[in-house]
Amino acid sequence: AKIIVEILFGMMHIHEKGMIHRDLKLENVMLNYVFESQIADFGLVYVDNLSNSMSGNIGTYMYMSPEMKNNQKYDHKTDVFSFGVLFCALFTRKFPKKSQSKSEKAPLLLPQPDGKNISKFSIDLIQKCLSYEPSNRPDFNEILEDIYKNSFKLAQGIDSEIVLRRYCALNRFKVINNKSRIMPTICPPQTPHVGRTAKNPIIIKPF
């Protein structure tokens, strides 16, 4: 859950800077020695007013939104679709499957929530992110707000307090840099951070 929160803050920052990542996937999320995640590989990023190309069919096929696959007009919501795939793969170790319906707008098939590896709340949230119509997908701010309201309970056994502390730290950083807060937040007292200094990143390997 902490990794998901860190990815959401990172993607919010990317979008606020007028960028579209276009290749968000597990292989492009790296962890340091204190298991803080960072988004990597900006080789395919689109930057407003700097990039001339809004080419379609860019990125990794398993993570591509329908509009990206079909060379249609797209916006930052294409990253939300990719995040939905990443979220599903990270928690279930499975990718969403295409249904047998002939309609390409049919919802993708997701693993059934078992309450242990992934909750019904998480499956419902993933389904929203994987909506065929970009306008039906939440933005990263809305996703983060929903997760916060659900006390970060994305699966069984998650220590909500640890995730909340990380959420609050990233929220404070956002306030300092952007003068804006995600939402009213009740945070636990700060404690000194103890851990090794990050040297080489750890890569979350696909399966």
Side-chain angles (χ1 to χ4, degrees):
K2 186 172 77 71
I3 291 173
I4 288 292
V5 167
E6 290 167 342
I7 293 171
L8 287 169
F9 270 100
M11 290 306 302
M12 282 172 52
H13 180 74
I14 288 170
H15 285 181
E16 286 170 357
K17 296 301 181 182
M19 296 184 285
I20 305 174
H21 191 282
R22 301 197 292 189
D23 198 22
L24 180 62
K25 57 183 177 180
L26 281 174
E27 295 94 320
N28 287 339
V29 176
M30 309 184 81
L31 301 179
N32 61 23
Y33 278 101
V34 290
F35 291 97
E36 294 170 345
S37 58
Q38 296 178 335
I39 298 167
D41 193 353
F42 286 76
L44 297 178
V45 70
Y46 172 84
V47 183
D48 283 349
N49 303 322
L50 291 179
S51 301
N52 296 321
S53 173
M54 281 287 282
S55 302
N57 207 25
I58 286 178
T60 303
Y61 190 81
M62 288 296 296
Y63 293 83
M64 280 186 195
S65 65
E67 61 270 23
M68 181 67 81
K69 289 179 182 177
N70 296 331
N71 284 301
Q72 297 171 340
K73 185 177 180 180
Y74 60 87
D75 57 16
H76 62 284
K77 291 292 184 74
T78 192
D79 283 342
V80 175
F81 187 95
S82 300
F83 170 79
V85 178
L86 183 155
F87 191 166
C88 181
L90 183 62
F91 274 75
T92 70
R93 302 186 69 83
K94 297 178 182 178
F95 288 103
K97 295 181 180 179
K98 196 169 184 179
S99 73
Q100 295 181 349
S101 171
K102 293 182 179 180
S103 172
E104 64 175 6
K105 295 185 179 182
L108 295 175
L109 301 178
L110 302 178
Q112 291 297 313
D114 57 9
K116 183 178 180 180
N117 294 320
I118 191 166
S119 66
K120 184 179 183 303
F121 167 82
S122 295
I123 290 291
D124 291 343
L125 185 55
I126 291 169
Q127 197 73 69
K128 292 177 185 177
C129 293
L130 298 179
S131 296
Y132 183 86
E133 296 293 340
S135 59
N136 293 334
R137 299 172 203 153
D139 60 31
F140 287 116
N141 188 47
E142 292 169 332
I143 297 169
L144 191 55
E145 184 172 327
D146 283 349
I147 290 176
Y148 172 82
K149 289 179 178 178
N150 196 60
S151 302
F152 310 104
K153 294 177 181 177
L154 305 182
Q156 184 178 331
I158 287 176
D159 190 328
S160 297
E161 184 175 345
I162 290 177
V163 184
L164 177 60
R165 288 182 183 278
R166 184 58 174 155
Y167 170 94
C168 290
L170 292 170
N171 209 4
R172 282 190 290 267
F173 180 82
K174 182 175 175 60
V175 172
I176 293 170
N177 287 272
N178 296 350
K179 310 300 181 184
S180 62
R181 187 180 294 274
I182 305 304
M183 59 178 295
T185 306
I186 300 175
C187 293
Q190 296 187 57
T191 55
H193 178 75
V194 179
R196 295 177 60 185
T197 303
K199 294 181 180 179
N200 298 319
I202 299 171
I203 300 175
I204 301 179
K205 295 183 179 180
F207 25 80

